[in-house]
Structure formats: structure tokens, C-alpha cells
Amino acid sequence: MRISIGYIVNLRTLKMPVEDYQAVIGLEIHAQLQTKSKAFCPDATEYGMMPNTQVSPISLGHPGTLPKHNKSAVEYAVMMGLALDCDIREHNQYARKNYFYADLPKGYQITQDKTPICTNGAVDIITDGVKKRISLTRIHMEEDSGKSMHDQDIYDTLVDYNRAGTPLIEIVTEPEIRSGDEAYQFITEVRKLVRYLGICDGNMEEGSLRCDANISIMKKGTEVFGTKVEVKNMNSMSNVKRAIQFEIKRQADLLDQGETFISETRGFNPLDGSTFSMRAKEMANDYRYFPEPDLPPLIISDDWKNEIQSKMPMLPKAVSKKLREEMKLPEYDVEVISEDKQIAEYFLRIAEHTNNYKAAANWVMGSIKSYLNENAIPIERFEISPKAIAELILLIDDGKLSNSSAAQNVFPALAKNPNKDVLSLAQELNVIQTSDTDFIGGLIEAAFNKFPDKVEAYKNGKTNLLGLFVGEVMRGSQGKADPKVVNEEIRKRLD
Ligand code: ADP
Ligand code: MG
């Protein structure tokens, strides 16, 4: 056996298990705002257009052009701040952040430096059933860069400036996140919120929501943070989690070997979940921030703030609270339904027509979600009305329809004929159950006549024969007798 020098050194090093280290994580999340036009000019922001078709001289930063505030972009940023209990700044000043990139035509980015529009505030997350509040440092407004494409041409990098100038908010957290799971939950909450607010589509794959993770580790029990690295370019929530988990392990191994490491920016390789060094971290003052001279200060008055507040849509927290406290739904249902704004809205509209909230939740989480998945359509394009679902629930509760006929016969038929009346459809399908005791009574007598010995046995104590009679009557009714009434009527005659 060959023993390498490295192996001997490792034997002598005291290796700490990774659990003995505490990870410290702060996130920086960029959300592209869904305004029709760009942050500082009227160019369109639509995604997926032909390259360089949404670029005016202002987007391209030609000399002599002047940027102007986009009111909607500011209102969206304020909405986010209000939803997260932030302080909203009255006097806002934009700044220039100077750096050179091929996809940054002006040579600087308009952003906010000393006066972020929102400060403080927090996001509540739940990980493994434990509630935790992650404080925000700031939310500021800025503009996006263009996009360099390295894979479109064999010789050259091509640049598309359509994205240049698209409004962004950047959400910066305090270093209070402690694991990849917590980071995952944090992004989940932020994504849910921007979607509820309708200010960003939250799509990480297309880059409308982007997350950079700052990660360091320290020995458990100490208070002093270690050197952080910043990992960029993770295009899904699970990749953010993977990158964090990889970094924790990598940094623990380095510390075990007695090595120190530098603060750097790292990229993420989704194929194997590893991170790799991109560049040593620039110092903040490399950017030579200075106040943007072409834009006047932006004043957010109390009146304007109140007006925005009054236009705020329903928020996920309020929905969860209503489902949990007023409708008494189990926590699992609360989470699944409040997860998506459109799903929640659909559910609440069913609940306008029935008080059987649990049944409404079951329909949404069961048949409806399966139907949407199978047909790959969003609930906005689901054609059965919430009122029709409430009518199905009522028919079931009245004993006129069994759960299984409702799900297996009426629901699919209704999906094909969404405008048809629910009761007539069920009648056409011949699945309406009857609780007519004369009809059921006749079938019961027939069953008793068929099995006189079993009737005797039942009367002598073999009460588990009840199922046999129920089955016989249900068969006789071709599934149309209400099983509850059948049960009652048989008992009445035998007990
Ligand atoms: P930088 O100047 O490098 O951008 P900031 O102080 O602005 O650093 O912080 C950027 C992000 O890094 C914030 O989300 C912050 O919470 C996080 N952060 C700061 N220090 C640490 C640390 N030691 N470990 C992990 N994250 C950190
Ligand atoms: Mg930073």
C-alpha cells in the first residue's frame, strides 16, 4: 500500500466534523419588476423579443440623453417594502455605480447607494416547523444590464441590450440565515410575495428572480463571523441550496486543513453542484459611487405612500391567516393553497358558495390540481367555475352524489362542458343517488329474501354481515342509492 505524504498530514490534522461549524448566510436577491417600460425611459421590457429591438438612445446611454423616473417601478418597490414592514424613505437619491462590462452600455449602473428606498423589515420563514424571522438590511432600486451571449456565434460574444435599463429591486438580508434549507424557504417566501403583489413573475429559470448567496462558517459557540464568499448564477431555488451546502463543506475542509481563504466571488456548476472561483472580491470603493446628476431626487410623500398602501392586493400572510383561523383548515392545506395566489383566489371563490371549506380545499388540492398538472395549464385557464365546484360539494353533502362519482364522472364531464348545469350533467350521467326510502326499502327486502340464513345470523349477533346487505342493495340500485340511507334503513329493520 502506498501512503502519500498528504495522507500522513491528514492523519495528524484534527478534523472537525462539519456539524461543529455554524454556517452564516446573507442573501442578495434581484427581482425584475414587471413594468411595461424601463426604469428610466419608455422602452418596452417584454421578455424574449428579437435582440436589440427594445433599445432607444437612452437605454444605450448615448451622450445628451436624459433618464426619467418610472412611477410604476417606484410604486412596486414601495409595495414590496410595505408588505415586508420596511421603513419607506421619503428622500431618495439615485447613484451611479461605475464599472465596465460589454453589456453595460453606459459604463455605469443607476442604483441607490446611501439612500435605499426601504430599510429594516423582515421575512418570516418556517423550516422544519420552526418559525424564524430574517431581518432585511435594505431594498434598493436599480436598473438591469444587457445580456452577453457567449454561445450564439463561434467567434464572437454577442450582446443583447433589450434588458438594459429594466427596473430591478435588490433585497439584501442581514447575515441571519443559517442553512441551505433556510435560504430555500426565504426565497420561497420572497417569490410568493412578489407574485401576490404582481410586481415580478418570480421566474428563476428565466432570470427574473436572481439570488446571490454570501456564505461563511465559524466554529459553533463563537460569535465572530468567518471570511465570506459570494456565490452567483444559481438559476433555481434548489441550486441555491446545493451551492450553500457545497460551500459549507468546502470551507470546513479548508479550515480543518489549517488554511485561510480569501473573500471571493464564486460561480456554481449545476452539473455536479460544486462552486468555482471567479474573481477576488472587488472592494466596494472600486465602483466610485456618486450621486446620479441626471435624475432629480425622488420624494415619496406620505400621501403617495398611503395611496399605494390602499391599492395593495391581498397578501399571502392574510390568506394563510384566514384559512387557518376563520376556515379552520389544517396547516398542510393552508400551505398548499396559499402557496399560489391564483390557486388561493380560486379557493376563496368556491368558499363564497359553500361553508364546507375542507371539502373545497380537498377539491382544489385533489382533482383540480391533478387536472391542471395533467393538462399543463395554469388555474387562470381552468374553465370549471368555482360556483360549479361548490354545487358539486352541495350535491355530495346532500347525499345525492357519491364522492367517487363526483370525482370520476361529473368532474371530467364538467371539464369538457364547463357551462353545463352541474345537476343536469349528473342526471345525464345517471349518477344521482337517491335517498328515496320506498325505493331503497324494496331493494332491502329483496336482499333479505335472497339471504334468509344471513338475516338469522345477523339477528343472532353476526352484525358484521351488515356490509353484505349494504353491498347487495347498492348493487341492486346500480350505485344510485345513498349509502348512508341504505345503512340506516337496514339497521332499522334488523336491530
Ligand atoms: P459586500 O460589501 O461584500 O457586498 P455587504 O456587507 O454589503 O458585503 O453584505 C452583503 C451580503 O453579505 C449581505 O446579505 C450580508 O448579510 C452578507 N454578509 C455579510 N457578512 C457576512 C458573513 N461574514 N458571512 C455571510 N454573509 C455575510
Ligand atoms: Mg454586495
Side-chain angles (χ1 to χ4, degrees):
M1 190 172 129
R2 279 171 45 197
I3 296 179
S4 71
I5 301 290
Y7 184 63
I8 293 170
V9 170
N10 267 344
L11 278 181
R12 290 223 228 100
T13 315
L14 247 186
K15 216 167 149 68
M16 283 182 37
V18 77
E19 298 79 49
D20 288 352
Y21 289 106
Q22 176 59 63
V24 172
I25 300 149
L27 298 180
E28 293 165 276
I29 297 183
H30 286 92
Q32 243 178 31
L33 299 177
Q34 280 178 312
T35 51
K36 288 198 182 62
S37 56
K38 292 188 180 176
F40 304 109
C41 71
D43 293 352
T45 54
E46 205 172 330
Y47 181 80
M49 292 292 115
M50 279 291 286
N52 299 310
T53 53
Q54 300 178 156
V55 287
S56 64
I58 308 180
S59 285
L60 296 176
H62 285 197
T65 56
L66 273 183
K68 267 179 76 175
H69 296 295
N70 177 334
K71 191 174 168 214
S72 301
V74 177
E75 292 191 343
Y76 285 3
V78 172
M79 281 166 83
M80 189 66 176
L82 290 174
L84 293 172
D85 299 326
C86 296
D87 302 324
I88 311 293
R89 185 180 307 275
E90 188 184 356
H91 281 265
N92 285 265
Q93 177 68 56
Y94 286 96
R96 280 190 188 180
K97 183 178 180 180
N98 298 282
Y99 59 101
F100 176 79
Y101 266 137
D103 52 22
L104 188 73
K106 297 202 291 276
Y108 60 85
Q109 178 190 30
I110 302 180
T111 179
Q112 291 188 299
D113 177 30
K114 301 257 174 348
T115 60
I117 185 162
C118 311
T119 45
N120 303 318
V123 173
D124 292 321
I125 59 168
I126 300 176
T127 332
D128 298 327
V130 182
K131 227 184 181 165
K132 184 170 169 183
R133 178 153 260 238
I134 307 293
S135 318
L136 301 181
T137 312
R138 58 190 278 162
I139 302 176
H140 62 258
M141 300 181 288
E142 58 187 27
E143 57 176 343
D144 212 342
S145 60
K147 219 183 211 166
S148 296
M149 294 176 290
H150 308 289
D151 55 359
Q152 303 285 310
D153 184 279
I154 46 172
Y155 299 113
D156 297 314
T157 288
L158 304 181
V159 194
D160 175 9
Y161 289 118
N162 280 353
R163 198 179 70 176
T166 299
L168 299 174
I169 48 173
E170 178 174 342
I171 304 156
V172 183
T173 78
E174 288 292 294
E176 293 179 351
I177 295 167
R178 290 291 174 266
S179 68
D181 281 326
E182 287 186 8
Y184 187 96
Q185 287 310 321
F186 183 90
I187 306 168
T188 305
E189 289 305 317
V190 167
R191 189 178 65 169
K192 197 198 292 183
L193 187 58
V194 294
R195 286 180 174 169
Y196 264 78
L197 290 170
I199 62 172
C200 167
D201 67 23
N203 190 329
M204 285 192 81
E205 286 73 20
E206 285 177 5
S208 18
L209 193 70
R210 306 193 282 270
C211 177
D212 302 337
N214 298 271
I215 307 150
S216 67
I217 61 170
M218 60 185 179
K219 281 195 182 130
K220 275 196 180 149
T222 54
E223 297 283 308
V224 187
F225 290 172
T227 306
K228 73 176 161 81
V229 304
E230 181 172 356
V231 185
K232 285 187 177 295
N233 302 336
M234 297 149 294
N235 67 349
S236 74
M237 297 200 299
S238 54
N239 281 345
V240 173
K241 182 166 142 183
R242 287 168 79 203
I244 290 171
Q245 287 167 344
F246 179 89
E247 264 309 302
I248 295 172
K249 175 84 178 50
R250 187 187 72 86
Q251 294 181 17
D253 286 347
L254 281 174
L255 290 188
D256 281 343
Q257 287 158 24
E259 292 191 30
T260 52
F261 49 94
I262 51 160
S263 181
E264 59 179 351
T265 302
R266 296 177 74 84
F268 176 71
N269 179 357
L271 296 179
D272 62 2
S274 67
T275 67
F276 54 88
S277 180
M278 282 165 73
R279 54 181 180 269
K281 188 120 181 82
E282 307 99 303
M283 292 285 121
N285 58 11
D286 270 355
Y287 293 126
R288 292 176 191 83
Y289 283 104
F290 65 86
E292 165 61 59
D294 288 344
L295 282 166
L298 173 72
I299 310 297
I300 301 171
S301 65
D302 280 348
D303 282 352
W304 192 14
K305 203 166 72 178
N306 292 338
E307 187 198 319
I308 298 169
Q309 176 82 65
S310 70
K311 287 191 296 198
M312 292 272 279
M314 171 181 78
L315 296 181
K317 254 192 205 166
V319 172
S320 304
K321 192 167 177 248
K322 184 175 171 114
L323 268 52
R324 188 181 298 123
E325 291 172 18
E326 277 175 43
M327 301 183 160
K328 309 276 182 238
L329 290 180
E331 197 52 36
Y332 174 82
D333 301 27
V334 172
E335 261 168 52
V336 175
I337 293 170
S338 65
E339 170 64 32
D340 180 278
K341 183 188 186 187
Q342 270 73 30
I343 296 274
E345 275 173 354
Y346 190 92
F347 168 81
L348 291 172
R349 283 170 57 209
I350 305 177
E352 285 169 14
H353 303 281
T354 173
N355 290 329
N356 192 343
Y357 305 128
K358 181 59 185 138
N362 289 346
W363 275 98
V364 169
M365 298 188 299
S367 300
I368 296 177
K369 273 209 156 181
S370 310
Y371 181 87
L372 299 176
N373 284 340
E374 277 159 26
N375 294 282
I377 52 167
I379 194 147
E380 296 92 302
R381 283 181 37 218
F382 182 58
E383 289 183 281
I384 302 181
S385 71
K387 187 157 174 271
I389 300 292
E391 281 165 20
L392 275 179
I393 294 172
L394 190 67
L395 287 177
I396 296 166
D397 290 348
D398 282 352
K400 296 206 178 81
L401 192 59
S402 72
N403 258 312
S404 58
S405 312
Q408 285 155 29
N409 303 102
V410 187
F411 180 84
L414 203 51
K416 287 200 191 93
N417 297 289
N419 295 323
K420 239 179 161 151
D421 173 62
V422 178
L423 181 60
S424 355
L425 196 60
Q427 277 161 343
E428 273 172 42
L429 291 164
N430 211 11
V431 289
I432 287 294
Q433 292 178 157
T434 173
S435 42
D436 175 350
T437 43
D438 289 344
F439 168 70
I440 291 173
L443 292 169
I444 292 175
E445 289 312 318
F448 287 175
N449 289 336
K450 192 169 164 192
F451 301 110
D453 49 332
K454 298 281 195 286
V455 175
E456 269 315 299
Y458 184 99
K459 286 183 174 160
N460 290 328
K462 288 200 82 180
T463 50
N464 58 356
L465 283 167
L466 179 69
L468 173 104
F469 298 123
V470 174
E472 191 59 25
V473 173
M474 290 306 293
R475 249 191 310 283
S477 78
Q478 293 177 319
K480 287 209 229 50
D482 177 353
K484 219 170 71 210
V485 178
V486 172
N487 257 287
E488 283 164 12
E489 291 296 314
I490 294 175
R491 280 232 179 84
K492 228 192 262 169
R493 285 166 171 76
L494 292 179
D495 289 345

